Amino acid sequence: MTVDEHQQVIDELQAVIDDTRATMERFEAAGMDEQMPEDYDKLMELLDDAVTQQREQVMAMLG
C-alpha cells in the first residue's frame, strides 16, 4: 500500500472510532449501557477493534 492508501484507511477508521464513541456517549446518557449491557459491550469491541486496526495501519505506514 502507498502512504496515501494507508492514510485513507487511517482516516476512515478514525471516522468509525468517532462515530462509535458518540454512540457510546448517547448510550450512557440514556442509561442504555446498564439496560442493554450486551449491546454496549459490542460497541466496546467495535471501538477496540477499530483502534487496533488503526494502530496497525500507522505502524505499517511508518515501517
Side-chain angles (χ1 to χ4, degrees):
M1 291 179 87
T2 67
V3 171
D4 290 339
E5 290 170 329
H6 281 293
Q7 189 61 54
Q8 180 180 357
V9 173
I10 290 166
D11 293 344
E12 290 176 12
L13 286 164
Q14 188 62 50
V16 170
I17 291 166
D18 293 343
D19 290 345
T20 304
R21 284 184 177 154
T23 300
M24 291 174 75
E25 288 175 10
R26 288 192 305 273
F27 242 68
E28 293 163 1
M32 292 171 56
D33 55 325
E34 294 177 13
Q35 295 174 6
M36 302 171 67
E38 291 176 4
D39 291 331
Y40 189 77
D41 288 345
K42 288 179 186 177
L43 287 170
M44 292 287 286
E45 290 173 18
L46 177 66
L47 180 62
D48 183 55
D49 188 43
V51 169
T52 298
Q53 288 182 46
Q54 187 183 51
R55 185 178 307 121
E56 290 170 356
Q57 285 296 318
V58 169
M59 296 307 292
M61 184 174 71
L62 295 175

